[in-house]
């Protein structure tokens, strides 16, 4: 299925990439968009359902007020205008994950429209992303394909449907076409998604965990020959569920489309699917007349007419915009440009902030997230931000600060945390990793080591203090690393003096 | 025939409260009547096996001195469009054969809470699409006045059940006249409340912006009593009104004195030409108006220039909304599944919907899909929504001049089964006078106005009032009813032919 | 005359997921043609200055508090399923891709 690809720089020489994004954000309300069933994750299939989530005959939707407030807040944070009157519409299409065979969404009157989001690139460049609209809708259920290769839809014998996710509140954020990204297009894509993630996290309206599908990005890419006015045909790549993938998928589409265009071919307007494993996109359904969603105003629901006071109240409660926030945090934490870019580019700003809020020093928090956690994430091919909880990292650092753990032991505890073995303290207890602070045990080990190396003891007594190093090594080995080397050194000098 | 079954619900409720009759006796009498005549009428799709248990429970509670609702112990027939936990709910369709809902429709739950005894589920045109009940997947219902004729539709089962004394009361639903037109052709009373006045939760949706649940009865007072039970705000239905409603039974009682007719301004629509109506229907209507006038009402000609577009708008809005509402019947979560060897889920869905839906349903779903599809929306669905605005304006203007509007409830008396089934357009024109109320959301009631002199079949007069003025319809309806019943020397249904009772199991006239 | 053709009816059948036989397509084409001719007259009076009415009784801002309410039991949810496995609804192979 591997398509011919053009070299990226060559592609950019010939064509201008035009981007567009549709990001779906799952809101973390207690209940669903249109029913009082729990908005849950990871529960037994088909357990968190109200009649309307299954489209049962006679069931009816009722709008979750909190979801509306969250949507307005998000709209405001995206710099959008909030519609004086907004309404729901039915998007009609048959698919087994849709309980009603229509999705309640918004069409001609979205809750928020015409906004702008500032995105910062690695080199500090600020790019304005124009937002067309943000609208409220409901999520679909989950399909599991059985009998085909690797759970793929192709060749599956049958599929199983779990509707627990059906009706979970979504906000879909749609950008206008984005011009001028040029070589930075792939990076901009990831930076945009990261910015949306930062915004919804700072608003506290979504868990924003991409691996759980809380945040999903569809990336639209088209190319137009240099100097041409008319936009090229675009593809919409779906199923891009990490920031790294967004970047890779955009780069791939640019290279793929460029190869086709340069060979005199035409781009098919279609949805494409991103394959995380192989790093390629493959065609989905072609966009055709069959995509006739027959939108019409949802007759079971009434217009949402937000009171101006409510909008102002929510506006006043908005967190600061990401770029402002970055400038403030950088100053507060006292980092250099380089140190701060490490954090921002690592996509762990929120994590570092939360770790500091939970009690860790800025330098320690930065060191964890851009160092060891990033290394483990890289090795596991996962998102750094998704590896561990910031509060747990702060707890880990507390153990280091208290002398319970050395840096080396702390790294072992971190591995346990990533492996899901529990809280830092639980892992310390379970693995018996704490620094031995019982002097008695240390002294016994030191005396034994000194007795085994009388020449070293003599040197120390002669004032050659650096000779203690050899004993320290032996003691640490005997303590299986669980000792504070500085304390061991102190004790060696004490014992030698006796 | 037991005289229990001929009692109005109000009279039966009084006898139950007084302890003259037990609910078990009343329920048994109606079950016997169903057993005796429903073979010919076919009003019921399902008879409640637990009806006597529910009745016995009410009797026990009454004996224990519990304070019960006015209609406690009174049997109730339920249109099959309403979902019930203890009886199948099919909406007249094969695709839902045997479907058991995990929840009760709000109106059913409220009826149960009021102590009413569900007798069974009544027949209807499939998914309430029709005006004759011939489109039921389970066979037609027959009009008790003439078994060869239709009982109206879509709620022909509920109307025929009360007209044939198989139930004192029934629940119906009215999307374009499905309560009022059956009342018209069966000599009974049917009330479509203000849109949002009665919860739609648990009513299998046909056209969500038009559907309304309401009472089907033999008297106006009975309709008011039932409306008092089922009406009022329901948080499960977003379109449910939060208004505090007056007692409609009280309004009916007050209206029965006839006082309300003094100076009452009754509007008659000039654009509804006599020529569009069967002569016997037009004559009955004029006769009723004359009597009302003689008792102090003033007849005022009003103009409603957009009513003539009502049928067209209705047959765009209804199929459009229905095409979406009926998409849920796809063989995945409930209902029929037709397997297709080697077929994909798309094939299975399409085959199931081909086999599971009747002809009229397919016709309307395809029509609605067309009306909503890209490129046609503005011309069809969008325009139809504008006609709604124009009809609302017609009503607003009219109600600036009159208290109520009166029309014949339908253009003709009951036609013969099979007569119009191959001519959908003719069938659609049946709803000419009832549709404007659904499009505008205003309440409407149909009460018997007499028998057509050309064929001797029942005719109804429809009154319409402004939105939220349902109580006015109960007052005017009860006054008109009192006047006419007095003139006739008894209820119109007394003149219905005696039905052949096939199997009597219950002792005759036990009281 | 309206523009109802057999091809259009067949396409509508696909959109509405109803497997129409050739005979059905033919019959529906004729019937819908007559019906559409009659209902198309709505556009005569639906001038641009007339606002559309979606809801007969105008209401707005009807909301539900974000509180967990009654849910279906797992058994209730699956009780009417034509086919189920592993606590989920089972359907035969899906041809098209997700939306
Ligand atoms: Mg989209
Ligand atoms: Zn969406």
């Amino acid at each position: 299925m591997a398509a011919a690809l053009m070299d990226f720089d060559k592609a950019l020489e010939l064509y201008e990439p035009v981007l567009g994004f549709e990001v779906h954000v799952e809101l973390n309300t207690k209940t669903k968009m249109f029913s009082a069933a729990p908005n849950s994750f990871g529960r037994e299939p088909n357990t968190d359902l109200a009649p309307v989530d299954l489209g049962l005959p006679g069931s009816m939707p009722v709008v979750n007020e909190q979801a509306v407030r969250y949507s307005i807040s998000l709209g405001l944070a995206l710099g959008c205008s909030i519609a004086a009157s907004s309404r729901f519409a039915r998007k009609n299409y048959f698919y087994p994950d849709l309980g009603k065979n229509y999705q309640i969404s918004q069409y001609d009157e979205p809750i928020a429209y015409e906004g702008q989001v500032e995105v910062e690139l690695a080199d500090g460049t600020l790019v304005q992303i124009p937002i067309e609209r943000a609208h409220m809708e409901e999520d679909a259920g989950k399909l599991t394909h059985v009998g085909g290769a690797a759970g793929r839809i192709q060749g599956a014998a049958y599929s199983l449907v779990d509707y627990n996710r059906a009706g979970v509140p979504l906000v879909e954020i749609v950008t206008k076409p984005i011009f001028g990204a040029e070589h930075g297009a792939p990076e901009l894509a990831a930076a945009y998604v990261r910015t949306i993630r930062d915004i919804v996290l700072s608003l506290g309206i979504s868990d924003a965990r991409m691996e759980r599908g809380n945040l999903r990005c569809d990336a639209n890419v088209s190319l137009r020959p240099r100097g041409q006015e008319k936009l090229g045909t675009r593809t919409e790549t779906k199923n891009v569920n990490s920031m790294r993938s967004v970047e890779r998928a955009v780069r791939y589409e640019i290279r793929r489309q460029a190869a086709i265009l340069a060979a005199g071919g035409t781009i098919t307007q279609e949805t494409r699917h991103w394959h995380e494993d192989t790093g390629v996109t493959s065609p989905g359904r072609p966009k055709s007349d069959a995509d006739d969603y027959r939108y019409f105003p949802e007759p079971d629901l009434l217009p949402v007419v937000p009171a101006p006071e409510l909008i102002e109240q929510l506006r006043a409660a908005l967190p600061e915009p990401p770029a402002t926030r970055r400038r403030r945090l950088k100053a507060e934490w006292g980092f250099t440009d380089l140190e701060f870019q490490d954090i921002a580019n690592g996509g762990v700003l929120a994590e570092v902030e939360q770790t500091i809020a939970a009690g860790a020093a800025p330098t320690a928090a930065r060191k964890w997230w851009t160092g060891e956690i990033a290394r483990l994430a890289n090795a596991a091919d996962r998102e750094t931000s998704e590896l561990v909880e910031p509060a747990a990292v702060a707890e880990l650092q507390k153990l280091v600060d208290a002398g319970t753990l050395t840096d080396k032991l702390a790294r072992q505890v971190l591995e346990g945390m990533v492996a899901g073995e529990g809280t830092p303290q639980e892992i310390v207890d379970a693995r018996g990793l704490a620094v031995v602070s019982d002097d008695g045990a240390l002294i016994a080990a030191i005396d034994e080591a000194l007795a085994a190396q009388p020449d070293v003891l003599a040197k120390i007594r002669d004032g050659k203090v650096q000779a203690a190093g050899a004993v320290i090594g032996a003691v640490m080995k005997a303590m299986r690393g669980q000792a504070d080397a500085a304390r061991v050194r102190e004790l060696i000098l004490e014992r030698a003096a006796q | 025939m037991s005289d229990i079954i001929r009692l109005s619900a109000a009279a039966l409720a009084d006898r139950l409260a007084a302890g003259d009759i037990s609910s078990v006796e009343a329920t048994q009498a109606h079950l016997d009547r169903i057993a005796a005549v429903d073979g010919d009428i076919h009003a019921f799709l399902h008879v409640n096996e637990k009806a006597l248990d529910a009745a016995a429970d009410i009797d026990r509670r009454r004996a224990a001195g519990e304070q019960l609702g006015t209609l406690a112990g009174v049997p109730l027939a339920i249109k099959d469009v309403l979902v019930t936990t203890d009886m199948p709910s099919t909406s007249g369709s094969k695709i839902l054969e045997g479907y058991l809902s995990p929840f009760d429709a709000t109106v059913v739950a409220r009826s149960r809470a009021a102590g009413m005894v569900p007798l069974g589920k009544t027949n209807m045109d499939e998914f309430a699409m029709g005006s004759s009940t011939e489109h039921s997947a389970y066979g037609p219902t027959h009009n008790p006045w003439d078994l060869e004729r239709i009982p109206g539709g879509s709620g022909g089962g509920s109307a025929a059940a009360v007209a044939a004394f198989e139930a004192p009361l029934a629940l119906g639903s009215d999307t374009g006249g499905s309560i009022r037109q059956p009342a018209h052709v069966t000599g009974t009373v049917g009330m479509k409340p203000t849109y949002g006045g009665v919860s739609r939760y648990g009513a299998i949706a046909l056209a969500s912006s038009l559907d309304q649940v309401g009472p089907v009865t033999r008297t106006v007072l009975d309709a008011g009593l039932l409306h008092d039970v089922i009406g009022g705000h329901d948080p499960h239905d977003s379109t449910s009104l939060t208004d505090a409603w007056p007692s409609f039974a009280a309004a009916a009682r007050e209206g029965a004195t006839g006082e309300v007719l003094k100076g009452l301004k009754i509007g008659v629509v000039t654009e509804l030409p006599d020529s569009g109506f069967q002569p016997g229907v037009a004559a009955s209507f004029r006769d009723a108006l004359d009597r009302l006038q003689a008792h102090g009402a003033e007849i005022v000609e009003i103009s409603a220039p957009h009513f003539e577009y009502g049928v067209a708008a209705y047959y765009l809005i209804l199929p459009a909304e229905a095409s979406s509402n009926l998409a849920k019947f796809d063989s995945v979560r409930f209902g029929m599944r037709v397997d297709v060897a080697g077929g994909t889920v798309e094939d299975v869905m399409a085959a199931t919907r081909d086999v599971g839906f009747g002809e009229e349903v397919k016709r309307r779903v395809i029509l609605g899909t067309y009306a909503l599809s890209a490129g046609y929306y503005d011309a069809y669905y969008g325009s139809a929504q504008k006609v709604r605005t124009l009809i609302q304006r017609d009503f607003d203007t009219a109600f600036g001049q009159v208290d109520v509007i009166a029309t014949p409830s339908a253009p003709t008396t009951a036609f013969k089964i099979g007569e119009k089934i191959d001519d959908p357009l003719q069938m659609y024109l049946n709803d000419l006078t009832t549709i404007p109320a659904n499009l505008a959301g205003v309440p409407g009631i149909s009460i018997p106005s007499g028998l057509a002199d050309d064929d001797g079949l029942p005719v109804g007069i429809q009154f319409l009032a402004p939105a939220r003025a349902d109580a006015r319809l109960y007052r005017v309806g009860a006054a008109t009813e009192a006047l006419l019943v007095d003139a006739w020397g008894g209820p119109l249904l007394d003149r219905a032919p005696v039905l052949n009772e096939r199997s009597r199991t219950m002792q005759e006239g036990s009281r | 005359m309206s523009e109802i053709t057999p091809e259009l009816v067949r396409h509508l059948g696909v959109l509405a997921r109803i497997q129409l036989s050739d005979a059905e397509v033919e019959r529906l084409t004729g019937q819908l043609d007559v019906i559409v001719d009659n209902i198309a007259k709505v556009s005569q009076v639906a001038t641009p200055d007339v606002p559309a009415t979606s809801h007969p009784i105008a209401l707005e801002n009807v909301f539900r508090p974000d509180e967990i309410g009654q849910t279906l039991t797992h058994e209730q949810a699956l009780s009417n399923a034509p086919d189920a496995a592993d606590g989920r609804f089972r359907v035969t192979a899906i041809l098209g891709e997700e939306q």
Side-chain angles (χ1 to χ4, degrees):
Chain A
M1 188 139 41
L5 300 179
M6 182 182 282
D7 173 72
F8 184 70
D9 290 328
K10 174 85 177 150
L12 265 292
E13 218 170 88
L14 297 173
Y15 305 101
E16 179 197 355
V18 181
L19 305 178
F21 303 102
E22 286 164 32
V23 171
H24 284 86
V25 178
E26 275 186 348
L27 302 179
N28 59 7
T29 49
K30 288 201 219 33
T31 63
K32 294 187 180 179
M33 186 73 221
F34 302 115
S35 87
N39 171 7
S40 62
F41 179 86
R43 294 248 298 129
E44 282 290 299
N46 298 307
T47 48
D48 286 329
L49 298 173
V52 77
D53 304 317
L54 282 179
L56 294 188
S59 61
M60 296 180 74
V62 187
V63 175
N64 182 339
E65 180 163 30
Q66 182 73 300
V68 173
R69 295 169 66 101
Y70 282 3
S71 305
I72 294 172
S73 291
L74 179 50
L76 291 169
L78 297 169
C80 289
S81 302
I82 302 303
S85 179
S86 161
R87 63 177 171 180
F88 292 96
R90 290 190 189 174
K91 179 181 183 178
N92 293 285
Y93 65 93
F94 283 83
Y95 209 73
D97 62 4
L98 275 183
K100 307 178 290 297
N101 284 317
Y102 56 82
Q103 179 194 34
I104 304 178
S105 181
Q106 297 197 290
Y107 181 55
D108 53 352
E109 296 183 17
I111 186 84
Y113 59 96
E114 297 280 332
Q116 185 160 281
V117 172
E118 192 178 57
V119 169
E120 190 173 348
L121 300 183
D123 63 0
T125 316
L126 296 177
V127 182
Q128 301 298 331
I129 304 288
I131 303 293
E132 173 152 331
R133 58 187 278 151
H135 67 250
M136 301 183 273
E137 58 183 28
E138 57 177 335
D139 212 338
K142 263 204 163 100
L143 284 164
T144 308
H145 306 295
V146 182
R152 292 273 176 79
I153 192 166
Q154 292 88 357
Y158 60 91
S159 302
L160 298 172
V161 203
D162 167 17
Y163 291 96
N164 278 350
R165 196 180 65 178
V168 166
L170 291 175
V171 176
E172 179 177 339
I173 304 164
V174 183
T175 67
K176 294 181 179 176
I178 301 160
F179 301 95
E182 298 297 346
H183 279 78
E187 187 201 343
L188 179 67
Y192 171 70
V193 176
R194 185 176 300 135
T195 304
I196 296 296
R197 182 174 164 274
D198 285 348
I199 290 173
V200 299
L201 281 175
S202 66
L203 287 166
I205 61 171
S206 173
D207 296 344
R209 295 178 66 164
M210 291 191 82
E211 88 282 12
R212 286 190 172 185
N214 296 149
L215 198 70
R216 309 197 285 267
C217 178
D218 301 342
N220 296 323
V221 176
S222 71
L223 299 183
R224 61 174 170 188
R226 295 284 164 193
Q228 180 180 301
E229 181 84 25
K230 197 169 155 280
L231 289 180
T233 305
R234 69 186 170 88
T235 60
E236 180 179 2
T237 303
K238 300 207 171 240
N239 194 28
V240 218
N241 291 332
S242 74
M243 284 171 265
R244 282 151 45 91
S245 311
V246 175
E247 185 162 351
R248 289 168 70 202
V250 167
R251 177 180 296 271
Y252 180 88
E253 269 304 287
I254 289 173
R255 296 181 62 197
R256 187 187 68 85
Q257 291 185 18
I260 292 171
L261 292 172
T266 52
I267 305 299
T268 314
Q269 184 170 346
E270 63 188 357
T271 54
R272 296 184 67 86
H273 285 253
W274 169 250
H275 301 276
E276 189 66 54
D277 42 0
T278 50
V280 305
T281 66
S282 71
R285 290 170 313 118
K287 289 263 178 198
S288 70
D289 289 347
D291 282 316
D292 184 346
Y293 293 124
R294 289 157 285 134
Y295 282 100
F296 71 102
E298 165 59 276
D300 284 331
L301 295 174
L302 296 141
V304 176
V305 183
E309 307 82 70
L310 172 69
I311 296 173
E312 288 324 307
Q313 180 199 326
L314 294 172
R315 193 194 304 278
L318 283 184
E320 65 196 323
T324 317
R325 171 164 161 260
R326 278 195 298 273
R327 282 191 286 277
R328 175 178 60 78
L329 291 177
K330 179 167 165 286
E332 267 178 33
W333 296 340
F335 289 143
T336 64
D337 282 357
L338 225 61
E339 286 167 335
F340 193 79
Q341 266 172 33
D342 257 6
I343 298 172
N345 297 342
V348 290
L349 187 62
E351 285 68 24
V352 170
E353 187 184 21
Q354 287 164 33
T355 308
I356 292 169
T363 313
R366 184 185 73 83
K367 192 192 68 187
W368 280 118
W369 286 103
T370 60
E372 192 60 15
I373 302 174
R375 191 185 66 77
L376 291 176
N378 204 38
D381 206 16
R382 290 173 61 188
E383 291 289 329
T384 310
S385 57
E386 287 158 1
L387 228 53
V388 280
E389 295 295 326
V393 176
E395 194 193 328
L396 177 65
Q397 182 58 35
K398 252 179 219 149
L399 294 173
V400 175
D401 294 343
T404 311
L405 292 176
T406 60
D407 282 358
K408 191 169 160 218
L409 288 174
R411 283 198 290 276
Q412 290 179 47
V413 174
L414 179 68
E415 274 165 30
M417 287 158 65
V418 171
E421 289 171 23
T423 66
Q425 188 61 57
E426 284 165 5
I427 295 165
V428 165
D429 294 342
R431 290 197 181 184
L433 286 177
V435 166
V436 176
S437 50
D438 171 8
D439 283 356
L442 289 179
I443 288 166
I446 289 166
D447 289 351
E448 200 175 307
L450 287 174
Q453 304 180 66
D455 49 327
V456 176
L457 177 61
K459 278 184 189 163
I460 296 172
R461 283 186 173 152
D462 278 355
K464 291 182 180 147
V465 187
Q466 62 273 32
V471 187
I472 293 173
V475 172
M476 290 304 278
K477 195 173 174 194
M479 301 310 296
R480 299 211 308 282
Q482 288 170 241
D484 178 356
R487 180 67 187 148
V488 171
R489 187 170 190 283
E490 248 172 61
L491 287 172
I492 290 170
L493 298 182
E494 254 174 49
R495 298 305 290 176
Q498 282 172 11
Chain B
M1 174 159 57
S2 149
D3 59 0
I4 291 179
I5 62 169
R6 297 196 70 96
L7 294 172
S8 69
L12 176 57
D14 286 346
R15 306 271 297 266
L16 287 163
D20 298 347
I21 303 175
S22 71
S23 179
V24 167
E25 284 174 282
T27 303
Q28 186 65 58
H30 286 96
L31 291 172
D32 290 346
R33 175 69 170 176
I34 293 169
V37 303
D38 208 53
D40 288 338
I41 303 292
H42 192 40
F44 284 86
L45 293 178
H46 182 92
V47 177
N48 185 7
E49 300 87 3
K50 299 276 173 58
L52 289 170
D53 295 346
D57 184 50
I58 289 300
D59 288 338
R60 252 193 312 276
R61 286 164 61 189
R62 198 188 298 279
E66 195 177 318
Q67 194 60 45
L68 299 169
T70 310
L71 291 178
V74 175
L76 173 72
I78 299 168
K79 189 178 180 183
D80 208 32
V81 75
L82 298 164
V83 298
T84 45
T85 51
D86 53 353
M87 295 179 275
S89 309
T90 70
S91 207
S93 182
K94 280 282 181 223
I95 211 164
L96 270 184
E97 192 162 12
Y99 175 74
L100 268 181
S101 172
F103 66 100
D104 270 332
T106 296
V107 291
V108 172
R110 287 183 181 178
S111 302
R112 291 194 212 268
M116 302 188 73
V117 177
L119 275 179
K121 306 296 287 287
T122 58
N123 199 11
M124 55 185 286
D125 284 300
E126 184 177 3
F127 289 112
M129 296 184 191
S131 309
S132 66
T133 315
E134 293 165 283
H135 295 300
S136 167
Y138 302 96
T141 295
H142 301 261
N143 191 323
W145 289 80
D146 177 350
L147 296 176
E148 309 223 311
R149 291 179 187 267
I150 59 106
S154 63
S158 279
V162 299
F165 300 97
E166 295 174 272
L169 297 163
L171 290 172
S173 70
D174 189 313
T175 304
S178 291
I179 287 175
R180 292 162 288 159
Q181 181 259 10
H184 162 94
V185 295
T186 57
T188 57
V189 173
M191 168 77 181
K192 183 203 88 79
T194 295
Y195 183 82
V198 176
S199 170
R200 292 188 291 121
Y201 187 69
I204 299 173
L206 169 56
S208 310
S209 74
L210 301 165
D211 296 346
Q212 195 55 204
V213 177
V216 173
T217 60
R218 291 191 293 263
T219 72
V220 174
L221 174 60
D222 286 358
L225 286 165
L226 185 52
H227 195 162
D228 284 343
V229 168
I230 62 175
H233 181 64
D234 176 12
H236 285 110
D237 173 359
S238 299
T239 60
S240 163
L241 299 173
T242 52
D243 301 45
W245 300 94
S247 164
F248 300 119
R253 287 202 175 91
E254 186 195 313
T257 65
E259 274 308 301
V260 66
L261 296 179
K262 306 232 159 61
L264 181 79
K265 286 187 176 156
I266 301 177
V268 177
V269 183
T270 53
E271 286 88 355
L272 288 180
D274 271 5
S275 63
F277 294 86
Q278 181 183 322
V281 169
S284 176
F285 178 61
R286 291 283 156 203
D287 182 54
L289 288 181
D290 288 348
R291 287 175 196 273
L292 288 164
Q293 202 168 13
H295 283 78
E298 189 186 334
I299 309 300
V300 181
E301 294 217 327
I302 53 149
S303 172
H306 299 99
F307 277 24
E308 67 165 301
Y309 296 92
V311 172
Y314 177 81
Y315 279 98
L316 285 164
I317 293 168
L318 179 144
E321 294 185 7
S323 71
S324 176
N325 282 330
L326 267 57
K328 61 173 68 78
F329 302 104
D330 65 354
S331 81
V332 176
R333 295 159 303 282
F334 44 79
M336 177 192 282
R337 174 177 293 185
V338 173
D339 282 312
V340 179
T344 62
V345 69
E346 288 87 347
D347 299 332
V348 172
M349 284 181 181
T352 301
R353 290 163 62 80
D354 180 41
V355 174
F357 287 155
E359 224 181 293
E360 179 65 15
V361 172
K362 286 191 242 182
R363 188 153 48 224
R364 294 201 197 182
V365 167
I366 295 292
L367 177 59
T369 303
Y370 170 68
L372 287 176
S373 61
Y376 302 107
Y377 181 93
D378 288 340
Y380 295 139
Y381 190 76
S383 294
Q385 298 282 44
K386 292 184 170 196
V387 168
R388 255 180 126 138
T389 309
L390 295 170
I391 287 176
Q392 279 194 335
R393 288 178 183 170
D394 283 358
F395 272 118
D396 288 347
T397 307
F399 287 128
Q401 302 162 259
V402 299
D403 301 306
V404 293
I405 294 171
T407 74
S409 300
T412 70
T413 56
F415 47 86
K416 288 234 166 72
I417 290 172
E419 194 181 314
K420 295 187 181 177
I421 194 137
D422 292 324
D423 191 348
L425 198 65
Q426 269 309 306
M427 193 77 101
Y428 295 172
L429 289 173
N430 240 289
D431 307 325
L432 176 70
T433 56
T434 45
I435 277 172
N438 300 84
L439 289 171
V442 305
I445 194 168
S446 176
I447 66 166
S449 65
L451 301 179
D453 46 25
D454 40 13
D455 59 17
L457 290 166
V459 177
I461 180 170
Q462 172 184 235
F463 293 105
L464 303 169
R468 298 182 159 91
D470 302 49
R472 189 183 301 171
L473 291 183
Y474 283 105
R475 276 194 288 274
V476 173
T480 308
E481 177 186 57
L483 187 67
L484 294 173
V485 170
D486 192 49
W488 300 329
L492 193 67
L493 278 170
D494 283 358
R495 287 192 261 167
V498 174
L499 293 169
N500 192 10
E501 300 212 339
R502 286 177 175 181
S503 60
R504 296 291 300 147
T505 53
M506 176 81 177
Q507 56 282 29
E508 192 87 24
S510 57
R511 300 212 54 95
Chain C
M1 275 312 288
S2 74
E3 63 278 23
I4 309 290
T5 61
E7 292 68 42
L8 177 60
V9 171
R10 210 166 274 120
H11 171 67
L12 294 169
V14 172
L15 279 182
R17 284 280 194 284
I18 302 178
Q19 176 70 56
L20 298 172
S21 67
D22 290 348
E24 274 179 308
V25 169
E26 195 183 325
R27 192 167 58 245
L28 279 168
T29 304
Q31 288 174 340
L32 292 187
D33 206 51
V34 174
I35 294 168
V36 169
D37 276 348
N38 276 274
I39 58 185
K41 72 172 182 182
V42 288
S43 55
Q44 292 168 15
V45 285
T47 47
D49 56 307
V50 180
T53 293
S54 302
H55 293 94
I57 308 289
L59 296 174
E60 59 192 35
N61 293 337
V62 178
F63 300 131
R64 175 179 62 77
D66 185 23
E67 287 159 15
I68 293 172
Q70 217 185 337
T71 55
L72 300 169
T73 63
H74 185 65
E75 290 67 38
Q76 283 177 327
L78 290 164
S79 61
N80 285 289
D83 192 10
D86 293 340
R88 286 170 286 182
F89 297 86
R90 180 153 75 172
V91 296
T92 48
I94 298 169
L95 184 65
E97 300 278 0
E98 279 172 77
Q99 308 279 310

